[in-house]
Amino acid sequence: MKWGQRCLSRLHVLITIGLVFALMTATTLAMKKDDFKTCSQSGFCRRNRAYADMVSEKGSSFQSPYTLVADSVRTEAPSHITADIKNIDTNIFLTLDVYLLQDNTARVRVNEKQPIKPRYDDHSQYTLQGEPVLRQTSDDLTQVETSPEGVVTIVMKDDNTSRKIVMHPHPFRVEFLVNDTPLISLNDRGLFNFEHLRTKESHKPTMIRQDQEGDEESSSVEEKEAPWESGSWEESFKTWTDPKPNGPESIAMDITFHDFGHVYGIPEHASSLSLKETRGGDNAYTDPYRLYNTDVFEYALDSPTSLYGAVPLMVAHRVGQSAGVFWMNPSETWIDIVKSKSEQQSSVQKVLSFGKKSQGKISTQTHWISEAGVIDLFVFFGPSTKDVLRQYTKLTGTPMLPQQFSLGYHQCRWNYINQKDVLEVDSQFDEHDMPYDVIWLDIEYTDDRKYFTWENSKFPEPIKMEQVLDSKGRKLVVIIDPHIKRADKYRICEEAKKDGLFVKKPDGDDYEAWCWPGQSSWVDFNSPEARTWWKEQFKFNKFIGTQENVHIWNDMNEPSIFNGPEITMQKEMIHYGNWEHRVLHNLYSLLSFASTADGVRERTSVEQRPFVLSRGFYAGAQRYGAIWTGDNMANWEALYYSNPMSLTNGMGGIVFTGADVPGFFNNPTSELLVRWYQAAVYQPFFRGHAHIDTKRREPYLVPEPYRSMTLAALRERYALLPYWYTLFYDASREGTPMMRPMFMEFPEDESLFATEDQFMVGSGIMVKPVTVEGATETDVYFTGDQPWYDALTHAPVKLTGRHTVSAPLGKIPAYYRGGHIVPRRERIRRSSHSMKLDPFTLVIALDQQGHSKGTLYVDDGETFDYGTGAYIHTQFSYSNGALTCESIHTDAESKAAKQYAKEMEVLRIERVHILGVSKKPSAIHVEIDGTKKESLAFEYDSTHAKISIKDPKTSIAKCGWKISVE
């Protein structure tokens, strides 16, 4: 939600002086570009960019002042190497720790050796799911060698692959290599900068030499304070002043991805999938990518501007290799990106190439700048993009497996006005045979914007309303934000004040500012006591009027503050542990998200998987639920960007993601609405949402023929739920996104490395959303590795490369990939709950050899019982004219597995479509447990080369059967 237009649209209720003040704030802060800082307005970014410019100007005459201290290298354990680093300009010593971790991962940490006070380093306990596991080594697999010149080489060998970490002493530089080929370098360009803590009295500003004009014989040189030094101890932006009691404390490092022309990730930005340059180059941005969670009103598209979330994970890919870097720092961060061709590469890169010619390859040079904290980064060796994401989520946690209902369609607007309105919308979906699973309530359901309360005149009997929904298997989601109204006799506020659970001002008083309720305070989620208290508020005896089918929406948790700088919290505010907000800003949303998810999970005696949607997020948020791309516009450009934004979130590990359909602000045309619903079928999170000033646009209100087209899209989503749920289960184990860039499935095809308007859902479905008004055709790129089949007609597509295909308004180009089996449920139901015992349809898309494989995962869709083995995981295989299945359950013999499989024997296959069959079979038989073959009824469609088998009498829970096509 956004506050600017909302306040403007509700003048009739803003009657107090305080709310009028909020209105004035809203009018001035509705999104304008100058409401948010540029790098030049952010002192630490300006300093480090200026440092980079100075290094560039000096060229080969510059040498980084950081050097490894001779004889300081120690092997603390076989997988832990330590050393000291000295800044020869300041004589400040730093500590270096290099860890070799399991699964081809390395960690590099740099901190002050003797800081005048500790630097912030507490966030890893929240960001990481546990202490990273060191690599188990042996002498023949790991070797640490130091040359006479002081070069330290760490050699790791696995699976005939040699990985090396090489640390150069003068200047300090770290290189990561695979089979002696450069992969990633730290401080390759000499931009490493670690601003040590100091007092204002001991601060020595950077000085620059300046020639004084005069006659040639009397010219002189004078040193002056560098202009970028301003703001080191106090900084102003618009009407706000940021005192910096710790002075300059930024950290920066240049990271080079050798011979990688494309890098991805670092969500959240409304930018391209393949990240753009930010300094020089065609179509480069003028500012770095920024990671600083902010509430950006009507955010700009095609921009490096920071948005609601921040994940400092960057993934690089080239033919034959992927790699990644996770810069674990929750303070404000800027990232510059520059592409360099081989002839522009540094001497270091040329040396690392060992005389090999790079043949004009492009490398990506990045510059990471954070305001505070320590350098703590992880390097992932890959070798594939899926490997990098597995390595990353092994550290920060794999995505949670959500309840199955959350994969269905969600209906929301700001706001359904009362209980009658909610139930009327619910009944209208039924009357029009439109499936949906969840209806949502925005802030107006509360009593005067006080969270954990109900407006009694509008919602007098919320439990009865929830029971009506529950009788159909449907859920209610209500909004709960982290700002708490300052009000007397409001239990939540009084408890938090009494127990000191709010963020503080530097003088120790509660921090107060403006948000939806007016004067508010913010829960300090950095406090363990505050997190425990917050979780308890979701219990049914505290959040009165809720029951088990109520779930939660966290909005405004960047945090969003109407009268704060950049619409967020002042950086000098104090959190538990006496930490300034500046050091953990991006972490705030993660902690609020986690606390809410834990509270929903723990509110029942038998824990159920929580569903929580968060707008703000940070690394590790995938463990707790879904996010969405924020308050977008109902226009064609926003529809286009919903795809690269969702893909990029997935590349940052945030896989349960989607956009407001069909745009939050303004009124979409019927054509735009249809196209957006079609695209959202293939995005992980599928929610219709609308601003309060928009016309009602529930899908049953759309005129024909658009209504039927929208209904077809909704039904296709529900038909694909078994496939989606299986993909979510896979993601919960390996971290692989469900919605994937094309290059993730086709990593050798360079023409796909920047493709962002076409994507894969899993490995079995390719989608090309139509995002151009009035279009009846579009271009689709067909890879030539296997055949494709039209998802609507099942007709084979005999095309290779880029081709124009027909795409009338009622059709989205989507294709099954040869060699893959896609499970579906095709009976028309009102919600996913109604489908639980429905039979399955298998779509078998044959490859060129006539083979195909696919999996299906089933559990109760609600509890954590799958953790005890109560699930079914089946692999289907089609080869040599025979379809078979086998259980791939990791513990199929456990008591829970056997019991659940027995209960689910009723889950059968009711239809099989085999695509790509060139001739009609003479007969089709089924054999179950070696018993006598039975003939099966089938149809053969010669036009589409398809066999359809009816009722094969087979179970997905009990394998041991075979269907033979003769």
Side-chain angles (χ1 to χ4, degrees):
M1 296 185 298
K2 288 295 179 183
W3 54 274
Q5 285 192 8
R6 293 181 182 188
C7 291
L8 293 173
S9 69
R10 301 182 62 79
L11 287 171
H12 60 286
V13 300
L14 305 181
I15 56 176
T16 66
I17 293 176
L19 288 178
V20 168
F21 174 74
L23 171 64
M24 293 168 60
T25 305
T27 342
T28 57
L29 287 183
M31 169 61 174
K32 298 188 298 290
K33 195 172 182 180
D34 63 0
D35 284 336
F36 300 92
K37 288 183 180 180
T38 63
C39 178
S40 64
Q41 295 170 308
S42 181
F44 75 95
C45 184
R46 181 175 65 249
R47 288 196 302 276
N48 281 282
R49 249 195 172 190
Y51 185 76
D53 289 339
M54 181 269 291
V55 170
S56 178
E57 288 173 7
K58 288 190 175 183
S60 59
S61 65
F62 172 81
Q63 190 171 73
S64 172
Y66 295 94
T67 181
L68 275 180
V69 176
D71 301 325
S72 71
V73 179
R74 298 285 186 273
T75 302
E76 298 294 331
S79 295
H80 180 196
I81 295 90
T82 66
D84 287 345
I85 299 172
K86 181 182 180 181
N87 183 329
I88 59 176
D89 288 345
T90 63
N91 289 323
I92 294 295
F93 287 84
L94 309 174
T95 60
L96 170 69
D97 289 89
V98 177
Y99 300 89
L100 312 181
L101 305 179
Q102 287 185 348
D103 202 3
N104 297 333
T105 301
R107 184 181 192 179
V108 177
R109 286 175 48 85
V110 181
N111 199 353
E112 286 191 60
K113 188 168 187 177
Q114 295 179 318
I116 60 174
K117 59 189 292 188
R119 298 178 71 105
Y120 181 66
D121 194 21
D122 288 351
H123 57 94
S124 64
Q125 62 181 306
Y126 311 117
T127 307
L128 305 180
Q129 67 171 347
E131 187 65 25
V133 180
L134 291 175
R135 169 186 164 93
Q136 300 301 307
T137 63
S138 61
D139 292 340
D140 59 330
L141 295 179
T142 302
Q143 300 170 353
V144 180
E145 301 172 351
T146 303
S147 74
E149 296 76 24
V151 176
V152 180
T153 302
I154 307 166
V155 181
M156 301 168 285
K157 293 183 179 180
D158 286 301
D159 302 327
N160 300 316
T161 300
S162 171
R163 298 174 181 87
K164 291 182 181 178
I165 302 175
V166 181
M167 296 188 292
H168 300 264
H170 311 295
F172 170 69
R173 189 175 74 251
V174 183
E175 315 293 347
F176 301 85
L177 303 94
V178 174
N179 293 333
D180 291 330
T181 298
L183 193 70
I184 290 171
S185 297
L186 309 181
N187 203 32
D188 184 29
R189 293 185 289 155
L191 307 186
F192 173 34
N193 187 31
F194 201 110
E195 294 183 330
H196 63 277
L197 297 178
R198 67 202 79 177
T199 64
K200 196 168 186 178
E201 294 71 27
S202 66
H203 175 63
K204 295 180 180 179
T206 302
M207 308 297 289
I208 57 174
R209 294 165 61 87
Q210 182 171 312
D211 293 334
Q212 302 299 303
E213 292 185 1
D215 61 64
E216 294 182 4
E217 295 183 358
S218 61
S219 61
S220 61
V221 175
E222 180 182 346
E223 281 196 340
K224 288 189 174 182
E225 183 175 311
W228 58 80
E229 283 284 340
S230 63
S232 294
W233 292 89
E234 184 177 276
E235 186 172 3
S236 295
F237 176 69
K238 302 186 79 169
T239 61
W240 293 277
T241 298
D242 176 18
K244 299 176 182 289
N246 294 314
E249 55 178 321
S250 73
I251 54 175
M253 179 71 77
D254 62 281
I255 303 175
T256 299
F257 297 86
H258 296 285
D259 291 343
F260 289 98
H262 296 274
V263 292
Y264 313 88
I266 58 169
E268 181 180 37
H269 304 93
S271 183
S272 54
L273 173 65
S274 177
L275 299 173
K276 294 186 177 182
E277 291 185 87
T278 60
R279 308 202 81 177
D282 296 334
N283 301 315
Y285 295 133
T286 57
D287 243 23
Y289 283 91
R290 190 185 189 197
L291 294 177
Y292 188 64
N293 293 0
T294 45
D295 179 356
V296 185
F297 182 76
E298 294 183 0
Y299 56 82
L301 301 177
D302 191 16
S303 169
T305 303
S306 58
L307 293 180
Y308 314 98
V311 180
L313 169 68
M314 184 175 286
V315 180
H317 178 69
R318 66 187 184 211
V319 172
Q321 182 70 54
S322 297
V325 167
F326 174 40
W327 176 272
M328 191 169 65
N329 190 303
S331 68
E332 180 184 351
T333 299
W334 300 77
I335 306 165
D336 263 319
I337 298 175
V338 176
K339 306 291 178 71
S340 68
K341 293 184 179 179
S342 57
E343 59 268 19
Q344 299 172 316
Q345 292 177 1
S346 69
S347 58
V348 172
Q349 292 169 292
K350 294 174 182 176
V351 169
L352 288 172
S353 297
F354 297 99
K356 301 174 185 175
K357 294 183 179 180
S358 64
Q359 299 177 341
K361 293 181 180 178
I362 294 176
S363 291
T364 298
Q365 299 172 332
T366 64
H367 186 196
W368 299 67
I369 308 166
S370 291
E371 183 172 15
V374 304
I375 290 179
D376 195 351
L377 64 88
F378 297 83
V379 174
F380 307 112
F381 284 90
S384 73
T385 304
K386 292 179 182 178
D387 290 324
V388 170
L389 290 174
R390 184 194 67 249
Q391 291 154 359
Y392 167 74
T393 55
K394 187 170 286 188
L395 293 170
T396 61
T398 54
M400 73 166 293
L401 179 62
Q403 286 204 39
Q404 187 161 288
F405 80 81
S406 63
L407 311 190
Y409 175 64
H410 300 243
Q411 180 60 49
C412 183
R413 75 172 282 110
W414 176 43
N415 202 86
Y416 290 118
I417 59 177
N418 55 34
Q419 194 166 316
K420 180 181 177 181
D421 192 12
V422 169
L423 296 179
E424 176 63 20
V425 171
D426 176 71
S427 65
Q428 284 296 309
F429 270 89
D430 288 339
E431 286 188 26
H432 290 85
D433 291 324
M434 287 187 166
Y436 92 101
D437 267 82
V438 192
I439 192 163
W440 294 53
L441 292 177
D442 213 316
I443 55 174
E444 310 301 340
Y445 82 92
T446 61
D447 174 18
D448 197 23
R449 313 280 173 83
K450 291 180 285 190
Y451 300 110
F452 302 101
T453 69
W454 294 85
E455 171 55 74
N456 288 331
S457 63
K458 297 177 181 178
F459 297 91
E461 298 177 301
I463 293 291
K464 285 189 176 181
M465 175 182 66
E466 294 152 16
Q467 287 171 342
V468 172
L469 298 173
D470 197 33
S471 68
K472 304 174 185 180
R474 290 178 176 149
K475 316 295 179 181
L476 178 72
V477 169
V478 299
I479 198 167
I480 297 286
D481 292 348
H483 52 261
I484 302 300
K485 183 180 180 70
R486 303 287 298 197
D488 295 334
K489 298 181 181 180
Y490 173 30
R491 179 183 65 83
I492 299 294
C493 180
E494 290 181 345
E495 288 182 5
K497 283 196 300 182
K498 178 177 66 72
D499 295 333
L501 305 181
F502 287 133
V503 176
K504 305 297 182 185
K505 295 189 296 185
D507 64 9
D509 291 340
D510 287 347
Y511 170 65
E512 296 184 34
W514 285 82
C515 204
W516 284 118
Q519 195 77 358
S520 305
S521 287
W522 276 255
V523 177
D524 182 7
F525 291 103
N526 200 51
S527 161
E529 185 181 353
R531 293 196 300 272
T532 298
W533 170 80
W534 182 261
K535 289 189 294 183
E536 291 174 349
Q537 305 316 307
F538 295 97
K539 293 180 177 179
F540 302 129
N541 63 347
K542 293 208 170 185
F543 192 176
I544 305 298
T546 62
Q547 59 175 26
E548 289 186 19
N549 68 327
V550 176
H551 294 264
I552 304 298
W553 172 15
N554 284 163
D555 198 7
M556 317 295 284
N557 60 337
E558 292 76 26
S560 173
I561 292 167
F562 294 171
N563 59 335
E566 301 192 274
I567 320 177
T568 194
M569 188 176 290
Q570 294 94 315
K571 291 181 175 179
E572 70 269 24
M573 298 307 150
I574 302 299
H575 291 268
Y576 173 85
N578 201 33
W579 294 112
E580 284 189 295
H581 182 72
R582 80 179 72 250
V583 304
L584 54 78
H585 172 83
N586 292 336
L587 187 70
Y588 186 88
S589 58
L590 177 71
L591 294 175
S592 65
F593 193 8
S595 300
T596 301
D598 287 347
V600 176
R601 175 175 52 83
E602 295 172 6
R603 66 186 178 174
T604 54
S605 56
V606 176
E607 291 186 354
Q608 295 189 344
R609 295 173 239 168
F611 174 75
V612 180
L613 178 76
S614 175
R615 191 173 69 176
F617 60 91
Y618 179 64
Q622 66 274 5
R623 303 195 299 265
Y624 304 112
I627 69 97
W628 88 107
T629 61
D631 301 335
N632 55 1
M633 302 293 290
N635 60 38
W636 291 93
E637 190 177 14
L639 168 58
Y640 176 90
Y641 273 93
S642 73
N643 295 303
M645 289 181 74
S646 295
L647 290 167
T648 296
N649 285 343
M651 293 297 289
I654 310 295
V655 301
F656 197 179
T657 181
D660 280 346
V661 180
F664 179 67
F665 292 109
N666 298 340
N667 297 304
T669 64
S670 295
E671 179 192 2
L672 175 60
L673 184 144
V674 169
R675 288 301 195 191
W676 210 316
Y677 271 83
Q678 289 173 342
V681 167
Y682 300 101
Q683 294 175 350
F685 179 58
F686 188 2
R687 180 181 72 155
H689 190 31
H691 187 273
I692 196 169
D693 289 337
T694 62
K695 297 177 182 178
R696 295 292 283 258
R697 44 158 118 136
E698 288 75 17
Y700 52 78
L701 295 175
V702 185
E704 292 290 5
Y706 307 101
R707 184 191 306 162
S708 295
M709 296 174 184
T710 308
L711 172 58
L714 289 171
R715 286 182 175 171
E716 180 63 12
R717 173 65 171 213
Y718 278 81
L720 286 171
L721 285 185
Y723 183 64
W724 273 112
Y725 197 58
T726 301
L727 292 176
F728 268 84
Y729 174 71
D730 293 341
S732 73
R733 296 189 305 165
E734 299 292 334
T736 307
M738 296 75 68
M739 182 182 178
R740 304 171 186 173
M742 293 294 296
F743 75 84
M744 188 177 287
E745 289 298 319
F746 306 100
E748 305 301 306
D749 191 338
E750 293 187 69
S751 63
L752 293 172
F753 288 2
T755 297
E756 62 184 15
D757 60 346
Q758 177 179 326
F759 56 86
M760 298 293 296
V761 178
S763 58
I765 299 178
M766 180 174 71
V767 185
K768 173 63 186 291
V770 177
T771 57
V772 177
E773 185 175 13
T776 57
E777 58 184 26
T778 189
D779 289 344
V780 177
Y781 183 88
F782 297 94
T783 63
D785 68 330
Q786 295 295 346
W788 296 92
Y789 302 88
D790 188 293
L792 182 62
T793 67
H794 292 173
V797 178
K798 299 177 181 179
L799 299 171
T800 300
R802 192 168 303 279
H803 292 273
T804 300
V805 302
S806 175
L809 184 56
K811 177 182 174 61
I812 180 173
Y815 304 89
Y816 294 120
R817 180 182 176 188
H820 291 73
I821 297 176
V822 174
R824 296 168 58 94
R825 273 177 162 155
E826 298 186 333
R827 295 190 178 184
I828 296 172
R829 301 295 191 188
R830 64 172 57 175
S831 67
S832 64
H833 178 81
S834 305
M835 303 169 66
K836 282 196 168 184
L837 296 179
D838 279 358
F840 296 88
T841 292
L842 298 182
V843 178
I844 302 173
L846 299 182
D847 64 15
Q848 293 173 347
Q849 294 75 38
H851 302 157
S852 195
K853 281 189 177 183
T855 61
L856 173 64
Y857 174 82
V858 178
D859 62 20
D860 66 19
E862 298 175 355
T863 72
F864 291 93
D865 286 354
Y866 68 90
T868 68
Y871 65 88
I872 296 164
H873 199 196
T874 301
Q875 179 170 280
F876 302 102
S877 300
Y878 187 91
S879 182
N880 300 319
L883 174 65
T884 58
C885 83
E886 66 173 322
S887 172
I888 52 175
H889 196 297
T890 56
D891 189 13
E893 297 303 311
S894 68
K895 180 179 179 180
K898 287 182 176 180
Q899 181 178 343
Y900 187 73
K902 186 172 182 60
E903 293 172 358
M904 293 296 105
E905 284 182 9
V906 295
L907 292 179
R908 63 185 180 86
I909 299 170
E910 69 172 347
R911 189 174 292 106
V912 176
H913 299 298
I914 307 175
L915 314 186
V917 181
S918 58
K919 65 178 183 179
K920 181 179 180 179
S922 58
I924 298 179
H925 297 95
V926 62
E927 181 180 340
I928 300 177
D929 293 331
T931 61
K932 183 180 178 181
K933 294 182 179 179
E934 293 186 33
S935 296
L936 296 177
F938 69 92
E939 295 176 354
Y940 179 71
D941 181 345
S942 59
T943 302
H944 295 136
K946 177 177 77 170
I947 299 171
S948 295
I949 305 170
K950 300 178 181 179
D951 192 15
K953 302 178 177 62
T954 52
S955 168
I956 65 106
K958 186 178 181 182
C959 289
W961 49 261
K962 179 170 71 172
I963 298 174
S964 301
V965 178
E966 300 174 1

